[in-house]
Amino acid sequence: QGMELLGWHIEELKAAGKQELEGAIGFRLYDTYGFPWELTDEILQEQGMTLDKEGFDKLVDEIKNIGKKKEAVPAEDFDAE
């Protein structure tokens, strides 16, 4: 499914005359479909396109920070009642 979605986005970029895939789309491929960003980038390069790696990295960092904040909540804050 990830490959199909990436192919669709590549066609959309071509039709729009664009050459950069949004970081959010790359992140969705990674997070939802387990599609490594390196593979996304390689496929895009074969098409003369690029991945907005800065946007991708920003989303990865946001998710990591959310996970860290959840880990920081003391167990006693969760009442089993």
Side-chain angles (χ1 to χ4, degrees), residues 2-3 9 18 22 29-30 34 36 40 42 46 48 52 55 58-59 61-64 70 80:
M3 190 66 182
H9 282 291
K18 297 181 179 180
E22 293 176 27
L29 288 166
Y30 165 76
T40 299
E42 182 179 326
E46 290 172 359
D52 171 19
K58 182 179 177 184
L59 290 168
D61 288 343
E62 286 178 19
I63 294 299
K64 286 181 182 177
K70 286 183 179 179

Side-chain angles (χ1 to χ4, degrees), residues 5-52:
L5 184 60
L6 178 57
W8 184 83
H9 282 291
I10 287 171
E11 292 305 316
E12 289 292 306
L13 287 171
K14 287 180 182 178
K18 297 181 179 180
Q19 294 184 332
E20 184 175 70
L21 184 71
E22 293 176 27
I25 296 169
F27 179 76
R28 180 175 178 215
L29 288 166
Y30 165 76
D31 189 50
T32 305
Y33 301 101
F35 221 71
W37 76 265
E38 297 92 344
L39 181 57
T40 299
D41 192 50
E42 182 179 326
I43 292 168
L44 288 169
Q45 286 182 20
E46 290 172 359
Q47 299 293 320
M49 299 176 175
T50 59
L51 171 65
D52 171 19

